[in-house]
Amino acid sequence: MYKFFILLTLIIFLLYSFCEKKNEGYQNNDIKISVLILSYNRPHNFNKSIPELVKFEEVEEIIILHGNKKFKKEYKHDKVKNIDDWKNNDEFYTMKRFKNVKYCKNEMVFIMDDDVYPSKDLLKKMIKKYRNDTNNIYGPFKRLCNHKGYIWNPSNEYNNILTPLMLTSKSVIINVFKKMLLNKKFFQLVINQKGNCEDLFFNYEFNTLYKKNPIYVEGKYIMLDDKNGFSTTNDKEHQRLRNNFCNNIYK
C-alpha cells in the first residue's frame, strides 16, 4: 500500500510538471511566432535586436519591412526575411505593417518597431496571455485615448496597447485592418500625419469589432536609437496630434 501511494504521488507530480511546462510556453514546440518589424532609418539597431530575437525558441521567422531604400541593410540569418517596402510609404506609412501581415506564415504575430525589443521574460508573459485568448492584443505600452484627449501613462484605465511591441493573431490584424480601410476619414487623417496615430486607430477599430479592451503585460524591454523614425516628431507636436485624433474619433 505504501509503495502504491509513492507511485501514485510520483505520477501526479510528473503530470503536474508536464502541464506546467506546457503552459509555460517556452517548453512547447507548437508555439511558433512570426515577428514583423517596421524598419525605416535605423538599420543599425538590428545589430543589437536581431541577435537576441533569433535566440528565442518560439520565434520561427523575423520579417523586416525595409521602408527606406537609402537606409536598407539586410540582416543575414536563416530566420530573417528582408522585404523591400518603400513603395507603400506614401499610401500607408506606418499602417503598412498591418497590410504586410500577409508575409507572416504563423497565426501568432509579434509586431515590433525597429527601436525596441522585448526581454525573454516579457515575451514569455505575452505568449501565456495570448494562449488564453488569441483574439486580443497584448503588450507593455498602455495608453488611454478618449474624447478628453491622449493620456501617456494611465494608472488603471486604458484602452490602447501600442504597436512598438504588440502580440496578437494574424486574423485579428487582417480583420481590424479591413475596418480601418473602410473608415476613410480617419485613414486619411493618419496618412496626413505621416503615420502618426496608426496605433490609436488600430485599437479603436479593434475595440469596435471585438468589443473588448486590449491587455497590458508588464515586463522589461530594451530601447534603442529612436531618432528619425517614420512618424518621429517632438514631444509637444506628438501630443498635439494624438490629442486631436482622440478628441475626434471618440466624440
Side-chain angles (χ1 to χ4, degrees):
M1 186 68 182
Y2 177 75
K3 290 182 178 180
F4 174 77
F5 177 76
I6 294 295
L7 180 60
L8 181 61
T9 302
L10 179 60
I11 291 173
I12 292 173
F13 174 77
L14 291 173
L15 286 172
Y16 176 79
S17 298
F18 174 78
C19 291
E20 282 294 298
K21 286 182 178 180
K22 189 172 182 179
N23 289 332
E24 194 71 11
Y26 274 83
Q27 303 297 326
N28 195 345
N29 291 329
D30 67 352
I31 296 295
K32 296 298 180 184
I33 301 178
S34 294
V35 177
L36 189 64
I37 306 178
L38 192 65
S39 176
Y40 193 59
N41 290 346
R42 304 177 289 224
H44 52 280
N45 282 343
F46 294 140
N47 294 328
K48 295 181 179 179
S49 61
I50 300 298
E52 295 302 317
L53 289 171
V54 296
K55 294 177 184 177
F56 297 168
E57 295 175 8
E58 64 288 319
V59 172
E60 185 174 21
E61 61 176 2
I62 301 170
I63 300 166
I64 302 175
L65 301 173
H66 296 279
N68 191 332
K69 187 175 183 179
K70 295 179 180 178
F71 286 85
K72 179 186 176 182
K73 180 181 178 182
E74 291 194 357
Y75 195 95
K76 304 294 184 181
H77 191 278
D78 291 343
K79 288 186 176 182
V80 176
K81 298 179 181 178
N82 295 277
I83 306 293
D84 295 341
D85 194 41
W86 42 80
K87 291 181 180 179
N88 286 315
N89 287 353
D90 292 341
E91 186 178 358
F92 294 100
Y93 284 96
T94 51
M95 289 186 289
K96 67 180 186 174
R97 70 170 100 226
F98 309 130
K99 177 180 182 294
N100 286 324
V101 73
K102 63 186 179 183
Y103 292 115
C104 299
K105 66 180 180 181
N106 296 302
E107 180 63 14
M108 193 186 307
V109 177
F110 187 55
I111 288 179
M112 279 180 50
D113 281 355
D114 59 3
D115 61 350
V116 61
Y117 66 93
S119 66
K120 186 173 183 179
D121 181 64
L122 173 58
L123 190 59
K124 177 180 175 180
K125 289 179 180 179
M126 294 168 73
I127 291 171
K128 192 172 183 180
K129 294 283 187 181
Y130 172 91
R131 295 186 74 193
N132 292 328
D133 182 4
T134 60
N135 289 322
N136 212 327
I137 300 171
Y138 306 92
F141 298 107
K142 61 179 178 177
R143 300 289 188 269
L144 178 61
C145 178
N146 57 31
H147 65 283
K148 295 180 180 179
Y150 177 74
I151 301 175
W152 284 71
N153 294 305
S155 55
N156 294 313
E157 183 185 1
Y158 67 92
N159 57 0
N160 280 254
I161 293 297
L162 304 189
T163 47
L165 295 175
M166 187 179 80
L167 182 68
T168 187
S169 68
K170 183 176 180 178
S171 58
V172 164
I173 296 172
I174 291 171
N175 292 336
V176 172
F177 187 57
K178 285 179 181 178
K179 282 187 61 63
M180 294 171 73
L181 289 170
L182 292 173
N183 192 338
K184 298 185 183 303
K185 175 183 177 181
F186 288 99
F187 189 92
Q188 189 57 49
L189 178 57
V190 173
I191 295 301
N192 293 343
Q193 297 175 172
K194 297 185 177 180
N196 202 315
C197 297
E198 124 277 356
D199 45 5
L200 305 181
F201 188 21
F202 183 88
N203 276 265
Y204 172 81
E205 295 295 1
F206 168 80
N207 293 337
T208 302
L209 181 62
Y210 288 91
K211 310 299 182 184
K212 63 175 77 172
N213 268 0
I215 304 297
Y216 169 68
V217 183
E218 186 176 5
K220 182 182 177 182
Y221 49 84
I222 297 85
M223 296 300 303
L224 303 172
D225 178 18
D226 63 353
K227 297 184 291 294
N228 301 317
F230 247 118
S231 56
T232 300
T233 57
N234 59 60
D235 289 345
K236 186 176 181 180
E237 178 65 5
H238 183 77
Q239 183 69 35
R240 185 190 70 79
L241 291 173
R242 293 170 93 76
N243 270 332
N244 178 66
F245 186 88
C246 293
N247 290 335
N248 280 281
I249 202 167
Y250 284 97
K251 68 180 179 181

